Amino acid sequence: MINLPPYPKEDAIKWAGHTLEQMQMRRTLVQARMEIQKFKLNAEINRCKENVPILGGGPSVLSRIAGVFSIAEYAFFAVRLFRMAAPIFRRKK
């Protein structure tokens, strides 16, 4: 804001900063929030693993099996399946 002559000049707010105790409290608050978010994220991941939507959701046998394997294992299975099926689709010359 431009300070024109009819208005009194405002003094700048003199802020000395935070005390050591205030900084420690802020750090503790941030760490507590991070731990809460980690807990919520793990709970959400576990909920998603239990209810695999591709396999009909719910605790069926297929969803339990799907929850056991990781993405890397699924990729490994896909590569093996592709190698097994490749000779079937090759053209004979």
Side-chain angles (χ1 to χ4, degrees):
M1 180 172 169
I2 300 174
N3 194 4
L4 300 174
Y7 301 107
K9 190 169 188 176
E10 296 178 10
D11 293 334
I13 298 173
K14 295 181 181 176
W15 184 64
H18 294 294
T19 64
L20 183 60
E21 184 178 342
Q22 288 173 330
M23 289 190 296
Q24 289 172 341
M25 289 300 292
R26 284 176 179 253
R27 179 183 288 168
T28 303
L29 181 64
V30 169
Q31 288 175 343
R33 286 181 181 161
M34 287 171 52
E35 288 298 320
I36 290 169
Q37 289 301 321
K38 283 182 192 176
F39 178 78
K40 286 181 179 179
L41 183 62
N42 282 333
E44 185 69 20
I45 289 172
N46 289 335
R47 188 185 67 77
C48 288
K49 280 184 179 178
E50 289 172 0
N51 298 325
V52 179
I54 296 171
L55 303 174
S60 67
V61 175
L62 289 177
S63 65
R64 288 181 187 167
I65 291 171
V68 171
F69 297 120
S70 68
I71 301 290
E73 289 170 327
Y74 281 122
F76 175 74
F77 292 144
V79 168
R80 287 196 54 165
L81 183 64
F82 180 74
R83 285 185 181 168
M84 285 177 23
I88 296 171
F89 297 109
R90 286 189 189 154
R91 286 185 169 177
K92 294 186 179 182
K93 292 183 181 181

